[in-house]
Amino acid sequence: MLILDGKIASRAVIDTLKTEVEQIKLTGKRTPHLAAILIGNNGASETYVASKVKHCDEIGFGSTLIRLADNISEAELIATITELNNNDAIDGILVQLPLPKHISEQNIIMAINPAKDVDGFHPVSVGKLVQGLPTFIPATPYGIMLMLEHFNITTKGKHAVVIGRSNIVGRPMSILLSSNQPYGNCTVTVCHSHTPNLNEICLQGDIIVAALGRAEFVKANMVKEGAVVIDVGITRVEDPTAKKGYRIKGDVAYNEVAPRTSAITPVPGGVGLMTIAGLMKNTLQAYKAIGK
Ligand code: NAP
């Protein structure tokens, strides 16, 4: 059984980006720049954004973190995004989700200039993805594809079972795995909360991508011997014995599932790190398209 170590695969991506940015700097051009907007003080969001900023620093990207109070109006948030859209020094814009309830996620995503949509959530990006055109691929599915490629996990002709159909993970993941490209060409089954016989469907999967957000949902009796299991889930489970009072759990019961698999991602240390790698690649791509 191969552990698909996100530290190793993401390091390879980050190091390549670092080298590219060094080359850009040598030519005297401005550096790629990512702007992140963080609203309120959700602990998990704080952690994610801090990690994104840290990786920008490491690669040599510029970064701007804009913190806004959680009572900001939708119009004010859109005005901030518009400023970033019009700022030629900014290549990528991300608005950390989730948003406060009074703000429409869809309106915010639509406000971002598609040329700077490094999260790949804008309908223009999604439309291009569906048509197989070059675009910004949402960072988590992109990171998973980079991981499959890094560890040379072949996908052609395999049956992939994706649990979850969200716009940020499950849906784009299913599109990528079914697309006609080297790490695609799977036959894909997409499962969701209304799927009957989920256990039986999972048992048919040569590749299982678990992205439902239910801690340790996928058990050993749902996984075929030799399957590849990609665990996207991140759930904080209270644990008074843990230093922080909680532990991070994936969607897969790792200890019982891992021995049945041919390859599996750990949580933490798996897909989460690849998500950052995907985002960083998108930022450089945005720079190359519009940066001078
Ligand atoms: P989401 O928007 O809540 O979507 C969850 C999906 O799972 C939905 O499509 C839902 O079905 C389906 N689902 C829920 N319960 C189910 C069940 N019992 N059986 C089958 N399907 C079920 O979540 P998300 O944003 O995609 O995120 C999923 C998980 O990945 C979360 O734990 C999140 O924290 C994590 N995540 C991790 C990363 C990373 O970098 N590692 C990035 C993003 C998200 P319906 O459509 O029918 O409701």
Side-chain angles (χ1 to χ4, degrees):
M1 183 265 297
L2 171 67
I3 295 177
L4 302 172
D5 188 333
K7 283 191 221 84
I8 295 171
S10 69
R11 175 52 44 206
V13 175
I14 300 295
D15 284 347
T16 307
L17 291 173
K18 249 168 127 169
T19 308
E20 276 205 61
V21 173
E22 275 161 20
Q23 293 304 317
I24 290 169
K25 286 185 174 170
L26 284 177
T27 64
K29 291 181 184 163
R30 74 168 180 84
T31 48
H33 197 112
L34 176 70
I37 301 178
L38 176 61
I39 299 147
N41 40 23
N42 173 307
S45 295
E46 292 266 359
T47 310
Y48 298 147
V49 170
S51 179
K52 290 167 187 176
V53 168
K54 189 183 115 220
H55 279 84
C56 283
D57 291 346
E58 191 195 340
I59 292 167
F61 291 166
S63 66
T64 300
L65 172 57
I66 300 173
R67 287 174 171 275
L68 300 171
D70 58 9
N71 62 355
I72 189 164
S73 70
E74 188 173 302
E76 287 169 308
L77 177 54
I78 290 177
T80 304
I81 293 170
T82 305
E83 271 177 39
L84 296 171
N85 283 340
N86 295 332
N87 184 341
D88 288 342
I90 303 289
D91 301 290
I93 302 169
L94 78 84
V95 181
Q96 186 64 44
L97 303 178
L99 298 174
K101 294 254 178 310
H102 64 279
I103 298 178
S104 152
E105 197 174 291
Q106 200 182 353
N107 290 347
I108 296 310
I109 288 169
M110 294 284 280
I112 297 172
N113 176 352
K116 300 189 180 190
D117 175 37
V118 287
D119 262 337
F121 298 159
H122 194 287
V124 168
S125 305
V126 180
K128 288 180 177 174
L129 182 71
V130 170
Q131 295 199 349
L133 301 171
T135 186
F136 298 114
I137 302 168
T140 301
Y142 190 15
I144 293 169
M145 298 309 279
L146 292 169
M147 180 177 254
L148 294 174
E149 191 176 342
H150 180 88
F151 289 104
N152 203 15
I153 305 282
T154 55
T155 54
K156 187 177 170 184
K158 302 267 174 74
H159 182 188
V161 175
V162 178
I163 316 173
R165 57 177 168 183
S166 72
N167 288 338
I168 66 168
V169 190
R171 181 74 66 202
M173 192 71 237
S174 65
I175 293 166
L176 287 164
L177 285 170
S178 66
S179 66
N180 186 0
Q181 58 172 329
Y183 287 87
N185 284 315
C186 288
T187 302
V188 179
T189 304
V190 182
C191 302
H192 45 74
S193 66
H194 301 278
T195 302
N197 309 327
L198 186 71
N199 286 25
E200 287 80 350
I201 294 170
C202 284
L203 273 169
Q204 294 168 24
D206 303 307
I207 298 170
I208 297 175
V209 180
L212 68 160
R214 304 274 182 277
E216 302 191 324
F217 179 90
V218 176
K219 303 282 196 280
N221 65 1
M222 297 165 70
V223 178
K224 176 165 88 173
E225 191 80 43
V228 173
V229 174
I230 308 291
D231 189 351
V232 184
I234 301 177
T235 303
R236 288 184 177 195
V237 177
E238 276 185 38
D239 182 349
T241 67
K243 210 167 146 195
K244 293 181 176 166
Y246 64 85
R247 285 188 199 283
I248 300 291
K249 296 277 183 193
D251 285 347
V252 176
Y254 185 90
N255 289 340
E256 61 176 88
V257 170
R260 292 186 65 75
T261 66
S262 59
I264 185 167
T265 61
V267 176
V271 172
L273 294 167
M274 298 313 297
T275 295
I276 305 256
L279 174 71
M280 296 294 126
K281 271 185 80 86
N282 278 345
T283 303
L284 186 62
Q285 183 183 320
Y287 170 85
K288 283 180 177 167
I290 60 174
K292 315 286 166 324

